[in-house]
Amino acid sequence: MPRSPRSPLLLAGLLATAGVAHFAAPRSFDATIPKALPGKPRTWTYASGAVELALAAGLAMPRTRQTAALATAAFFVGVFPANVKMAVDWRHRPTPQKAAALGRLPLQLPLVLWARGIAKNEGGQA
């Protein structure tokens, strides 16, 4: 099924918003960084935000869209462990917060498929 021409820009907007949030409110993201990763959580938070901003820029530009879309799909797979950690850490929080943390987990698959679909529509075999 063909995607809307706005689809890459919508995904770019989502990534840009998330990227800015990593810099505007880093503490909430620091808590999701798995302890197994080396270094400080804040470094990973800022790096993740920078990657999201770079991916958003790549998706916004037709010339780099296909590569950025494939990288975005990989990024969504790569941050899945942070979402799992958040769900585990929030299991004793109030129901709305717990539901939000758990709800993020199945959302990763549509995000990956969205990014791959953009890459495919740009002429790739994603």
Side-chain angles (χ1 to χ4, degrees):
M1 174 163 72
R3 294 193 183 272
S4 161
R6 295 184 326 175
S7 182
L9 299 180
L10 292 172
L11 185 55
L14 176 78
L15 285 163
T17 301
V20 168
H22 278 70
F23 291 96
R27 201 163 76 195
S28 61
F29 293 96
D30 292 347
T32 68
I33 305 299
K35 293 190 187 325
L37 291 175
K40 296 182 180 183
R42 182 64 49 92
T43 302
W44 287 100
T45 295
Y46 286 155
S48 178
V51 168
E52 285 172 321
L53 292 171
L55 291 170
L59 285 167
M61 301 183 60
R63 187 171 174 193
T64 57
R65 187 168 291 150
Q66 182 181 4
T67 300
L70 291 172
T72 297
F75 177 79
F76 287 142
V77 171
V79 298
F80 187 73
N83 292 338
V84 171
K85 182 182 183 307
M86 181 180 178
V88 169
D89 290 348
W90 286 24
R91 68 188 178 276
H92 300 297
R93 290 204 178 185
T95 300
Q97 291 177 338
K98 191 174 10 180
L102 288 171
R104 291 179 65 162
L105 298 178
L107 286 177
Q108 290 301 115
L109 181 59
L111 289 171
V112 170
L113 295 175
W114 186 9
R116 287 193 61 210
I118 290 169
K120 191 173 190 176
N121 282 349
E122 293 300 314
Q125 299 299 322

